[in-house]
Amino acid sequence: MMTSLQQELRFLVETHLAFIYDEASYPELEHSQLAKQLIQLMGLDECCVKPEVHTSLWDQQDVMVISYGDSVLQDGETPLHTLNQFLTQRLAGTINCLHILPFFPYSSDDGFSVIDYTQVNDGLGGWQEIEEISSQFKLMSDLVINHCSSRSRWFDNFKQCKQPGVDYFIETDPATDTSAVVRPRTSPLLREVETLEGKKYVWCTFSHDQVDLNFANPQVLAEFVNIIKLYLDRGVKIFRLDAVAFLWKELGTNCLHHPKTHEIIRLLRTLVEHHSADAIIITETNVPNHENLSYFGNANEAHAVYNFSLPPLLINALVTGSSQYLKAWQMTMPPAQQGTFYFNFIASHDGIGLRPVEGLLSETEIDTLINTMQQFGARISWRAADGGKNKAYEINVSLFDALQGTVNGPDKWQIQRFLSAHAIMLALEGIPAIYIHSLFATNNYQEGVELTKNNRTINRYKWNSNELGALLDNPQTHHAKIFTQLTALIKTRRKQPAFHPDATQFTLHLGDDIFGFWRQSPRRDQSIFCINNVTDKQVVIPLSSINLISLVTWVDLISGQAFEDLHKDLILEPYQSVWLTNKAGL
């Protein structure tokens, strides 16, 4: 006998399925039976929980580190164990969330071409290590949902014309006009494959080793629901839906942001949150800003979206010495609804995406940014654009080296500029995520690029744990200086109610030399004015221009300096950030 909650869940799932697999296209599909199958795969026929609508499952203490499973290595240990030990020992009280990039057996793209979704790459460890990590941190895992490896069992079965797999991929006649399809790569869309039934052509959005899955087949959806349940059972609480914008293909469209893609995300959210009230879905959609925001839905789709426009706009502000474009963008960003949040980052395992600044930076500004980054050792990755032309897709560079200077070249302010970038990101509305190589101020790994012939390797160095520890323990190294000051910033941030992801935020107008904004705690008892000099010159601001309440003493949370006389000036050194508050969190 179903409970009322289970009946409600069945109705919701059937409603999602009726949109995805509409009756006109799937006249023989029984939505009730498919709904029953998905609910059983999630174990929701035995037990389910009622999700809280418009409820935040997060606060200002949530800070994430992004890392590969083997970013830190130690002889004689599994990399996942080493990573767990390193983060637990070095970052206690600093972070509480960890995103381990794909930790499954793979054939290319550093994990994003998954051979087997149900196993841990034995070169990293096993499920035991994953469960140990999930007991220490809120764990985020990738759900590489758009495509799988050409070496997977599913694709082997496709070539052998047997199940499961024979109908898991998208076959297309090479004569078909696919010119409208939007892609992030320059390789041919279709791959020729020899099968037992002869030559076929399969859809490959990213590379010919990453074969797109056919979600028009309901059993592909069922496979991924089963995978999600496995990950939940192993302690994963946060699901990053990789490249999900490309999920549903329909010839005659651009195959991007299809309405059925959005509905599949809503379905997965319904299933996940009825299993675990604290489970979270984050969409990874590296696209123009207004398109990215659509994945919030009406607070019923993704819990969070990557704030993809932030990295290029923030870097642009710091290397040009002008907050003009960053500020203009920030003013247009809607506050996230209750129950959703922005996932803020300024560096990742990939590069600095350029599609998210389309319409925000002019072509001239983008070209200047690209040229500046190339001066600092960056590589450029390209995508196929309209008219058969190639267009810059992302800048591949370590963040520390990206901020070694300005458009005029390298200078002496690299450390200050790098810390300013993080002070801004840590204070913005949302939850901050810090790439592990930013914590260590890792430089460009040019040798790796030459070895792999992959531009993204420039930001994927693998540290020896002992070597890294020695550098972090030596206060004279830039690694130690960054690690010490950045972790101090994070610890300070985590204590402030005004940095709650739901706290109010308003942009300040203090001139283009400054990027400033005001945060107020949900209870309205703490205000923080975040004021950042984005130039390589000293900037003076009258305190009277900031609209500080004169009845209290204001204190900079970063330096500890108190400001009692509000008729005086605030003097900001190059790239200095201040967090002025009326009430310091303890």
Side-chain angles (χ1 to χ4, degrees):
M1 184 73 178
M2 284 195 296
T3 66
S4 59
L5 178 58
Q6 288 170 324
Q7 289 174 344
E8 179 184 337
L9 172 62
R10 175 72 70 89
F11 173 78
L12 289 172
V13 173
E14 287 185 18
T15 302
H16 291 307
L17 293 173
F19 184 90
I20 299 165
Y21 304 109
D22 58 280
E23 187 175 356
S25 303
Y26 297 83
E28 297 181 4
L29 180 66
E30 294 186 24
H31 296 122
S32 60
Q33 286 301 111
L34 181 56
K36 181 180 179 181
Q37 179 189 7
L38 299 183
I39 289 169
Q40 288 177 340
L41 286 172
M42 288 290 292
L44 301 178
D45 55 328
E46 299 177 359
C47 179
C48 67
V49 298
K50 185 173 181 61
E52 296 292 331
V53 180
H54 298 295
T55 299
S56 296
L57 308 171
W58 39 82
D59 61 24
Q60 66 273 14
Q61 296 188 56
D62 289 314
V63 179
M64 183 172 288
V65 162
I66 304 166
S67 177
Y68 278 101
D70 57 358
S71 290
V72 183
L73 300 170
Q74 178 66 53
D75 291 342
E77 296 180 356
T78 62
L80 286 171
H81 175 78
T82 301
L83 179 66
N84 190 17
Q85 289 292 104
F86 194 93
L87 296 180
T88 302
Q89 294 169 7
R90 293 277 180 172
L91 294 171
T94 306
I95 66 155
N96 67 334
C97 307
L98 176 60
H99 173 201
I100 304 178
L101 291 153
F103 47 80
F104 319 104
Y106 70 96
S107 54
S108 64
D109 199 17
D110 282 349
F112 287 92
S113 186
V114 179
I115 294 174
D116 186 346
Y117 291 87
T118 67
Q119 299 296 321
V120 176
N121 181 352
D122 58 14
L124 298 176
W127 283 117
Q128 179 180 345
E129 284 87 348
I130 292 296
E131 291 177 12
E132 288 172 355
I133 289 170
S134 70
S135 71
Q136 301 291 325
F137 303 97
K138 296 179 184 179
L139 179 60
M140 179 157 90
S141 170
D142 288 274
L143 191 68
V144 186
I145 194 169
N146 178 71
H147 50 260
C148 70
S149 169
S150 65
R151 290 173 49 196
S152 66
R153 181 171 70 95
W154 292 343
F155 197 64
D156 283 343
N157 286 350
F158 173 81
K159 291 185 288 186
Q160 296 295 320
C161 302
K162 64 182 183 181
Q163 294 287 7
V166 65
D167 50 2
Y168 279 19
F169 302 93
I170 302 166
E171 299 176 39
T172 305
D173 187 328
T176 303
D177 180 8
T178 58
S179 59
V181 176
V182 172
R183 297 181 60 231
R185 298 291 184 272
T186 57
S187 57
L189 175 62
L190 302 181
R191 171 187 167 175
E192 181 183 304
V193 182
E194 291 292 342
T195 76
L196 286 181
E197 294 178 350
K199 192 177 296 183
K200 295 183 179 182
Y201 294 84
V202 293
W203 195 291
C204 299
T205 297
F206 288 87
S207 79
H208 285 187
D209 184 49
Q210 295 164 298
V211 190
D212 286 38
L213 291 152
N214 182 16
F215 276 82
N217 178 355
Q219 289 313 303
V220 173
L221 174 64
E223 293 276 14
F224 275 89
V225 169
N226 196 38
I227 290 164
I228 288 171
K229 174 61 162 58
L230 170 66
Y231 295 176
L232 285 165
D233 289 346
R234 298 297 188 173
V236 172
K237 288 297 184 185
I238 309 170
F239 294 86
R240 175 187 183 270
L241 303 190
D242 177 66
V244 70
F246 301 93
L247 196 66
W248 193 278
K249 283 76 174 177
E250 182 180 347
L251 289 173
T253 74
N254 65 4
C255 301
L256 189 66
H257 316 312
H258 195 285
K260 293 190 177 184
T261 292
H262 286 281
E263 196 66 32
I264 288 172
I265 298 169
R266 295 186 191 107
L267 167 63
L268 295 181
R269 172 166 174 164
T270 295
L271 292 170
V272 163
E273 64 186 6
H274 277 82
H275 180 280
S276 299
D278 56 348
I280 292 171
I281 285 178
I282 298 181
T283 49
E284 187 264 340
T285 50
N286 191 356
V287 293
N289 190 56
H290 67 282
E291 299 173 26
N292 188 38
L293 294 177
S294 71
Y295 285 86
F296 276 136
N298 186 25
N300 63 345
E301 200 165 326
H303 294 90
V305 299
Y306 273 75
N307 212 345
F308 273 109
S309 297
L310 178 60
L313 288 174
L314 180 51
I315 292 168
N316 180 73
L318 290 166
V319 300
T320 63
S322 171
S323 67
Q324 175 187 352
Y325 297 102
L326 178 63
K327 188 165 48 181
W329 163 75
Q330 184 61 38
M331 290 170 59
T332 67
M333 290 292 281
Q337 292 189 50
Q338 288 284 329
T340 65
F341 65 90
Y342 290 109
F343 190 69
N344 294 327
F345 73 108
I346 48 178
S348 74
H349 61 292
D350 290 338
I352 302 162
L354 294 175
R355 288 216 69 205
V357 289
E358 291 178 8
L360 301 175
L361 290 179
S362 68
E363 289 298 322
T364 301
E365 289 284 340
I366 292 173
D367 288 343
T368 299
L369 180 61
I370 289 172
N371 292 336
T372 303
M373 293 298 100
Q374 286 179 314
Q375 287 184 53
F376 301 156
R379 311 293 181 105
I380 308 300
S381 295
W382 303 85
R383 68 179 178 91
D386 294 340
K389 296 180 180 178
N390 292 341
K391 192 170 184 178
Y393 175 71
E394 68 180 15
I395 301 169
N396 303 109
V397 65
S398 87
L399 183 63
F400 187 64
D401 281 344
L403 295 173
Q404 66 185 266
T406 68
V407 292
N408 298 316
D411 60 21
K412 63 180 180 179
W413 302 109
Q414 184 175 16
I415 288 177
Q416 291 86 344
R417 192 179 291 111
F418 185 81
L419 290 170
S420 175
H422 285 88
I424 292 170
M425 189 262 286
L426 287 166
L428 284 169
E429 177 194 340
I431 290 179
I434 300 173
Y435 188 39
I436 195 165
H437 288 296
S438 294
L439 282 172
F440 307 147
T442 307
N443 297 102
N444 288 332
Y445 182 33
Q446 301 287 8
E447 301 90 338
V449 176
E450 297 304 320
L451 286 170
T452 64
K453 308 304 179 186
N454 179 1
N455 287 349
R456 288 177 167 177
T457 306
I458 200 168
N459 201 21
R460 299 178 179 179
Y461 184 71
K462 298 177 182 181
W463 281 101
N464 173 273
S465 180
N466 291 336
E467 177 191 358
L468 178 59
L471 290 170
L472 296 180
D473 291 336
N474 180 353
Q476 301 304 313
T477 67
H478 74 264
H479 307 283
K481 292 174 182 177
I482 291 296
F483 186 80
T484 300
Q485 293 180 74
L486 184 49
T487 52
L489 270 177
I490 296 169
K491 289 176 180 177
T492 299
R493 185 234 190 239
R494 297 186 73 204
K495 298 174 183 176
Q496 315 309 320
F499 287 151
H500 190 290
D502 297 343
T504 299
Q505 176 174 288
F506 283 107
T507 305
L508 303 177
H509 298 274
L510 300 169
D512 289 346
D513 291 347
I514 299 294
F515 180 57
F517 48 96
W518 171 68
R519 304 294 309 278
Q520 185 182 55
S521 61
R523 292 178 58 183
R524 299 187 178 182
D525 57 345
Q526 185 191 38
S527 287
I528 302 178
F529 288 84
C530 308
I531 303 171
N532 308 275
N533 179 359
V534 298
T535 77
D536 57 3
K537 300 175 178 60
Q538 187 184 83
V539 176
V540 179
I541 304 171
L543 284 169
S544 58
S545 69
I546 306 176
N547 199 29
L548 301 176
I549 298 173
S550 61
L551 299 178
V552 297
T553 297
W554 292 82
V555 176
D556 174 21
L557 291 167
I558 297 174
S559 69
Q561 181 180 358
F563 297 85
E564 298 178 354
D565 186 351
L566 302 187
H567 298 288
K568 291 187 175 181
D569 292 332
L570 173 63
I571 301 172
L572 294 172
E573 297 303 322
Y575 303 105
Q576 183 180 354
S577 296
V578 298
W579 291 346
L580 289 178
T581 187
N582 62 326
K583 181 182 179 181
L586 301 176

